[in-house]
Amino acid sequence: MALNVVIMAAGKGTRMKSARPKVLHRLAGTSLLQHVLDAAAGLGAARTVVVTGHGAEAVEASVAGQGPAGSLVCVRQMPQLGTGHAVQQAVPALDPALPATLVLNGDVPLIRPDTLRALLAASAGTKLALLTVTLADATGYGRIVRDAATGLVRAIVEHKDASAAERGIREVYTGIMAAPTALLSRWVLALANDNAQREYYLTDVVAMAVAEGVPVVTAAAGGETEVLGVNSPLQLADLERRLQRQRAEALMEAGVRLADPARIDVRGTLACGPDVEIDVGCVFEGEVTLGEGVRIGANCVLRDTRVDDGAVIHPFSHLEGARVGPGALVGPFARLRPGAELGPEVHVGNFVEVKNSTLARGAKANHLAYLGDATVGERVNYGAGSITANYDGANKHRTVIGADAHVGSNCVLVAPLTIGAGATIGGGSTVAKDAPAGQLTVARAKAVTVPGWKRPQKVQKAPKAG
Ligand code: UD1
Ligand code: MG
């Protein structure tokens, strides 16, 4: 679309009481500013201007390289003299050939693309369009002042500048507007700061439009949630719950059974097949895919992971960059690290860690074990307490375990190492050379029995005098 977008993101966010710039605080794992950029991305703006100020370097780094080359630019606002002043800084970076400009707030993260489309349609390239919402308590907001006779918008009056009568108005400006680029550019450069806060108010362009006979129209937000701003940790947590509730409802509408929609956190995308069940306290990060009939137990964390049909992840498991095959069983208390690939029907039990390893169909590592940089064949049984010693202090090495091998408990497999198919490794062995297929390899001291040995006797204490 022939559109400029301006995102105001220079404010300090004093009430966050944080060293981090406000717009870089995270909602569902994504920065506030990124939520706004994502909402605007669907509008196809040819030019997006982010106004930075507080923490400018970090804010600019967070958006660097987004969109087609040159489509996103940052301009600095130093010092911050108000929203009108912020847009003034953006004017030289606007593309005058793009007839419409949309102004967004970097700290209003849940704005919906459909709402922005409706606002742009209302502006229609010729009018000043304001996104408004009617609130039960309008304290702090700019009020939409309408002409009593015609109902047309006359001005926006900031709360601090409003009369008692104006403070009674509950229709407020959300901080988001769309306007013809040429008019907005001219208006903001003409703003003055003769008001209660000695700031350049963007909202004063409304009175300018009225004075010039440019129509001012409004579009109503789809609800309160999408126009709520973040100014404090409390508000951030409130928005997080609202967003998570929306995501939980969308999952349930798609048939996912959540034990409790108030106790799930999706910080990325979660794609589910039919008949998925998710118990309480689970966190999904990045891109997670769950196949048909997958069950996720309580308090699991899954990040960038795919779980195939019928697999079960038992409680308190942590999976990152993993692939779990159909019908596999994982946990409780399992840890799958990046590159863990479990084939069909694999079992990985409690206190088992798997990293950069493939386990073929039916392989089992049921208790207290570590598999790193390993290739594990079909039906291998990997005993409790066994580990791959994959790191020699400088380099990582691979362990290959052939199909049907049986690794006893408490073995140290010193990589690089190959254990042949069907081999048995006796419990307690430290194996540093390849073990042949089909044979028993054992490396441990023989048990000895010491004849005549007596267990020490407990020394009897003398009774206390007196
Ligand atoms: C603004 C509106 C008010 C509206 C409210 C909705 C003005 C004058 N008032 O008030 O009518 O009801 O939003 O939330 O616009 N920012 C800058 N540089 C600055 C000042 C602000 O980039 O110099 C950014 C802030 O980081 C923030 C946004 O602009 O993202 C809004 O600024 P804020 O100070 O919150 O404006 P309000 O007083 O809430
Ligand atoms: Mg505000």
Side-chain angles (χ1 to χ4, degrees), residues 44-409:
R47 170 64 53 88
T48 299
V49 183
V50 179
V51 182
T52 63
H54 276 281
E57 286 85 2
V59 175
E60 288 162 11
S62 83
V63 300
Q66 293 196 24
S71 64
L72 189 151
V73 293
C74 294
V75 298
R76 293 221 179 155
Q77 185 199 15
M78 302 279 195
Q80 292 82 39
L81 303 178
T83 52
H85 183 251
V87 178
Q88 276 175 12
Q89 313 313 303
V91 166
L94 297 177
D95 183 344
L98 304 172
T101 295
L102 175 67
V103 180
L104 298 173
N105 258 330
D107 62 355
V108 179
L110 297 185
I111 188 71
R112 292 180 310 120
D114 282 350
T115 300
L116 297 177
R117 277 191 202 96
L119 183 70
L120 288 165
S123 170
T126 58
K127 299 171 221 168
L128 173 60
L130 309 171
L131 187 68
T132 66
V133 68
T134 299
L135 298 176
D137 178 6
T139 307
Y141 287 88
R143 306 301 205 282
I144 304 291
V145 179
R146 291 180 183 270
D147 185 278
T150 63
L152 296 173
V153 177
R154 276 209 329 255
I156 297 175
V157 179
E158 292 305 306
H159 181 90
K160 286 185 180 154
D161 301 287
S163 65
E166 287 164 340
R167 286 187 181 183
I169 299 171
R170 290 167 47 230
E171 186 189 11
V172 304
Y173 173 56
T174 60
I176 294 172
M177 67 169 64
T181 302
L183 293 179
L184 183 70
S185 302
R186 180 161 57 75
W187 289 333
V188 293
L189 295 176
L191 288 171
N193 66 345
D194 47 351
N195 53 54
Q197 304 185 79
R198 294 272 144 224
E199 281 184 9
Y200 296 88
Y201 289 166
L202 176 60
T203 44
D204 284 351
V205 302
V206 174
M208 292 179 175
V210 171
E212 291 182 17
V214 174
V216 180
V217 294
T218 59
E224 183 191 68
T225 299
E226 67 171 324
V227 294
L228 286 175
V230 173
N231 299 296
S232 66
L234 194 70
Q235 288 174 342
L236 181 62
D238 174 44
L239 278 201
E240 179 79 34
R241 285 344 302 161
R242 288 172 189 249
L243 177 56
Q244 293 301 342
R245 180 75 198 193
Q246 287 174 1
R247 291 183 175 181
E249 284 176 9
L251 286 168
M252 292 186 294
E253 271 157 28
V256 178
R257 292 193 292 279
L258 300 180
D260 181 353
R263 284 184 286 170
I264 177 171
D265 285 83
V266 180
R267 300 177 188 152
T269 55
L270 173 59
C272 294
D275 275 314
V276 166
E277 288 183 18
I278 301 174
D279 209 335
V280 298
C282 293
V283 178
F284 299 90
E285 299 181 326
E287 299 216 349
V288 176
T289 304
L290 307 179
E292 178 169 358
V294 165
R295 284 191 286 135
I296 309 291
N299 300 307
C300 288
V301 178
L302 280 75
R303 181 187 184 91
D304 294 323
T305 284
R306 175 171 168 170
V307 182
D308 290 335
D309 296 355
V312 179
I313 313 297
H314 289 295
F316 297 99
S317 294
H318 188 279
L319 287 70
E320 179 177 1
R323 171 90 193 255
V324 177
L329 304 179
V330 174
F333 298 101
R335 180 169 184 213
L336 302 186
R337 291 170 52 201
E341 293 198 14
L342 314 188
E345 315 291 336
V346 163
H347 294 186
V348 167
N350 45 272
F351 307 107
V352 174
E353 175 180 345
V354 180
K355 183 216 77 170
N356 190 31
S357 295
T358 58
L359 280 72
R361 176 185 289 275
K364 293 189 170 90
N366 271 329
H367 343 257
L368 301 160
Y370 175 59
L371 281 162
D373 305 309
T375 305
V376 179
E378 296 190 358
R379 297 172 301 279
V380 164
N381 197 311
Y382 191 78
S386 290
I387 66 150
T388 52
N390 57 324
Y391 183 53
D392 61 14
N395 297 299
K396 302 273 171 66
H397 302 282
R398 255 201 119 68
T399 301
V400 179
I401 306 177
D404 298 298
H406 184 105
V407 178
S409 295

